[in-house]
Amino acid sequence: MSLTDSYLAAAADQGPKPSELRAAAEPRLDATGYGGRCLTRPVFLEAAEHRRLAEDLGLLHQALTSIPDRLFGGDIARFAQAAGLAEAQAVAVSRGRGPAPSRFGRADLYRDEHGFWLLELNLGSTAGGVDNAVLNEAMLEHPFIADFVKRNNLTYTETMAQVVKTILTEAKVPTGVRPVMAIADFPDSYPDLAVQLHRSAAALAPLGIDALACPVDELEYRDDRIWHGDRAIDIVFRLFMIEDLLKPGAVELLEPVLRASERGHVAIFTPLDAELYGSKSALAILSDEANRSRFRPEEQEAIDRLVPWTRMVRADLVNYAKENQSDLVLKPAALHGGEGVLLGWQTTPETWSTHLTEAVDQPWVLQRRIQPLPEAFPTDNGTENWLLTWGAFLVHDGLGGYYVRGTENPDGGVINLTMGATGTCCFYQQ
């Protein structure tokens, strides 16, 4: 019997009323990545599943971040061009490149009867949900869940603490030094996130970082430092995304931070090249059989297990994509949050054909549809099925916890909180 089956059986017999559990947890979730709501139970992973996923994601990261060297002679600008980035984006990526590729990101996955499949890898500091452990803590306040976790030797990861370790390591902060970090977003999106960002900044104080939240246009470069008012900034935590660089005046807005980074006067977490490694174009490169020989056998095995068939949209694929519309997804290569995604099985043939034609030789990919297995969640009157997107965090020394979102829509599609999804937390065996 699986952990999930054991939990559901025990919960039906002696567990808390689902509505009461949710009502107790949700007040803890305001101004968090959960958006103030949660599902009626945690999800669970057994030791073998957790270990395999951690190993495969580590190998996948190695393969992705080696693409410039293995396929483009070490030229990251050529990689950016092949990935479909605009010139302004490619220049910024080259200027904002870190000394080594960042390890931080969130892999978004579906799980079917064969295991986990990667939908996208959100490499970089823009990956949300790092405050996920607040729900683990809230769930553990109920004796039934605490007892189940203890009896089954389950645990969870304090993702935010792991992110801090990754920041300090990758920014090369000396031991014992308490850095000042600006959590910086673009001026147009900052107001909507301000409350959550200030809460996150406060949560970093006990973990060894003095953080402040601000729009990036409040940062100045003078006297060989980045400043926010009269505070010198050691690290800029980047919330602006690669697509933000296409906004009017964006490059000029970022110039102080990019110039300071180039001169070694501030660390950017994460550097802009993370967005390139995390693009869907990079997954298409890994998935393409023509590139198999460029990767070590253990890397290719991980790619085969994790990455569904993914290709850049080319003219020779259009007929195939039309004939297999119900089994394919059309995705922009470098956008986030499900923006622009077209689901073949929910799209008319006319619309599908039009978008395919427009996408040829543009930064768009086709990806095989993954149909996740539904998971049962208790209700006060029985159970209901949800489809889950599993978010697994990569951190400096491995896997750094989970952020899970679900939808009741049986057709699946894009599952994120801005589109009505509901989140939960994960406990796993080591």
Side-chain angles (χ1 to χ4, degrees):
M1 181 180 288
S2 70
L3 285 169
T4 299
D5 290 338
S6 296
Y7 179 91
L8 291 172
D13 182 46
Q14 56 187 353
K17 196 172 183 179
S19 60
E20 293 175 353
L21 191 152
R22 175 182 273 166
E26 287 184 341
R28 300 272 296 275
L29 306 180
D30 289 337
T32 72
Y34 290 104
R37 60 186 188 272
C38 65
L39 293 173
T40 57
R41 67 166 175 87
V43 294
F44 308 101
L45 277 183
E46 298 182 18
E49 296 176 294
H50 172 73
R51 285 197 296 266
R52 168 55 66 194
L53 185 58
E55 291 169 4
D56 281 352
L57 287 174
L59 289 166
L60 185 74
H61 182 270
Q62 289 177 19
L64 281 168
T65 55
S66 70
I67 286 175
D69 291 333
R70 298 188 194 184
L71 279 82
F72 297 99
D75 190 337
I76 197 167
R78 284 180 55 208
F79 177 27
Q81 183 180 22
L85 296 193
E87 183 178 357
Q89 294 173 312
V91 170
V93 163
S94 297
R95 292 184 63 194
R97 188 179 188 181
S102 176
R103 269 278 307 185
F104 178 68
R106 191 191 72 225
D108 283 343
L109 310 115
Y110 275 168
R111 186 166 65 160
D112 67 10
E113 64 272 17
H114 302 294
F116 283 106
W117 290 100
L118 183 69
L119 303 177
E120 60 181 0
L121 183 56
N122 301 285
L123 279 179
S125 45
T126 57
V130 299
D131 52 4
N132 53 355
V134 67
L135 184 53
N136 293 86
E137 295 163 1
M139 291 282 190
L140 285 173
E141 289 181 359
H142 197 286
F144 173 81
I145 293 179
D147 179 65
F148 183 85
V149 166
K150 182 178 180 180
R151 283 189 291 107
N152 289 279
N153 297 313
L154 300 173
T155 188
Y156 70 99
T157 300
E158 291 273 5
T159 298
M160 190 171 289
Q162 292 299 315
V163 173
V164 167
K165 290 181 182 178
T166 304
I167 293 171
L168 297 176
T169 299
E170 294 187 356
K172 301 187 185 304
V173 177
T175 302
V177 172
R178 189 178 181 91
V180 178
M181 184 171 76
I183 305 174
D185 199 2
F186 257 50
D188 57 347
S189 51
Y190 174 78
D192 292 336
L193 294 173
V195 173
Q196 183 176 339
L197 296 183
H198 283 286
R199 178 170 177 168
S200 295
L204 291 171
L207 300 174
I209 294 179
D210 292 329
L212 58 94
C214 67
V216 71
D217 60 349
E218 290 184 3
L219 300 177
E220 297 180 86
Y221 183 36
R222 63 178 191 272
D223 301 327
D224 292 338
R225 298 295 300 271
I226 287 289
W227 298 82
H228 183 265
D230 60 356
R231 297 191 73 183
I233 303 298
D234 302 300
I235 304 167
V236 174
F237 188 100
R238 177 182 61 83
L239 282 182
F240 44 90
M241 300 181 182
I242 196 76
E243 56 260 42
D244 289 325
L245 295 171
L246 299 178
K247 296 175 180 176
V251 174
E252 293 79 8
L253 191 66
L254 295 179
E255 179 60 27
V257 174
L258 290 176
R259 195 181 330 133
S261 174
E262 284 181 305
R263 297 176 181 179
H265 296 154
V266 76
I268 301 176
F269 184 84
T270 54
L272 277 164
D273 61 331
E275 299 267 353
L276 180 55
Y277 298 120
S279 70
K280 299 171 191 71
S281 307
L283 292 182
I285 289 172
L286 294 190
S287 175
D288 195 329
E289 290 93 340
N291 298 321
R292 289 183 70 92
S293 64
R294 304 298 184 98
F295 302 102
R296 300 194 306 272
E298 62 271 24
E299 292 171 335
Q300 191 58 62
E301 290 171 5
I303 293 167
D304 291 343
R305 280 191 292 267
L306 276 181
V307 181
W309 183 92
T310 307
R311 294 292 186 278
M312 298 295 291
V313 182
R314 304 185 307 262
D316 62 346
L317 287 175
V318 170
N319 286 338
Y320 170 82
K322 289 179 180 179
E323 293 169 1
N324 295 275
Q325 176 180 338
S326 62
D327 295 320
L328 295 170
V329 184
L330 183 64
K331 297 180 176 183
L335 295 183
H336 297 78
E339 186 176 348
V341 172
L342 196 66
L343 309 174
W345 60 97
Q346 293 183 4
T347 305
T348 66
E350 295 77 17
T351 300
W352 182 253
S353 178
T354 298
H355 280 77
L356 276 175
T357 301
E358 294 173 347
V360 170
D361 296 329
Q362 300 299 313
W364 287 77
V365 303
L366 285 163
Q367 189 173 76
R368 177 173 65 86
R369 177 188 184 182
I370 303 299
Q371 295 181 283
L373 294 174
E375 290 218 18
F377 285 78
T379 72
D380 289 355
N381 300 307
T383 62
E384 57 191 11
N385 286 331
W386 289 70
L387 299 183
L388 303 179
T389 295
W390 294 71
F393 286 100
L394 281 76
V395 293
H396 177 70
D397 56 358
L399 205 57
Y402 297 91
Y403 173 56
V404 183
R405 291 90 73 206
T407 179
E408 292 181 279
N409 180 1
D411 287 333
V414 178
I415 303 178
N416 65 39
L417 268 67
T418 60
M419 297 183 180
T422 305
T424 190
C425 59
C426 176
F427 292 96
Y428 61 88
Q429 290 176 330
Q430 291 180 308

